[in-house]
Amino acid sequence: MDDVIRRRAVVRGLVQGVGFRFSTEGEADRLGVAGFVRNLPDGTVETEAEGTPEAVGQLLEWLTEGPRGSRVDGVDVSELSPIGEGGFETRH
């Protein structure tokens, strides 16, 4: 079995009010990644993703582009310890 990793990504740009969270949840579900996505008060979107290195890496790569209608100016990624989370959700 592959190792499980967890990463926190903060996405900067035009990422609120454009379906970014909804699209991120769909992409995470497609990849089998656990975690969450939420808007932050400063206009960024925070995602925590847990899964295989390959799946998490694919989601992080997707975050650099985002969904149609968004504009990603940058993604800041940091390492976290896995917590054994199951499923992916949008938090408010």
Side-chain angles (χ1 to χ4, degrees):
M1 183 173 128
D2 288 315
D3 291 334
V4 174
I5 64 169
R6 188 175 185 92
R7 297 291 182 268
R8 176 180 187 257
V10 177
V11 185
R12 294 175 278 109
L14 178 61
V15 293
Q16 290 192 11
V18 293
F20 203 96
R21 290 177 301 162
F22 176 80
S23 296
T24 300
E25 184 172 347
E27 190 67 12
D29 288 344
R30 186 183 74 76
L31 293 168
V33 172
F36 68 86
V37 61
R38 66 180 169 190
N39 287 342
L40 295 180
D42 64 0
T44 61
V45 170
E46 175 189 38
T47 300
E48 286 191 15
E50 183 171 322
T52 66
E54 180 182 8
V56 171
Q58 288 177 7
L59 182 63
L60 293 175
E61 181 67 26
W62 182 87
L63 290 173
T64 66
E65 297 294 324
R68 170 185 258 155
S70 68
R71 186 195 75 242
V72 177
D73 293 336
V75 182
D76 301 316
V77 179
S78 54
E79 292 187 24
L80 299 173
S81 296
I83 60 173
E85 192 166 28
F88 197 92
E89 68 179 7
T90 297
R91 296 187 180 170
H92 300 282

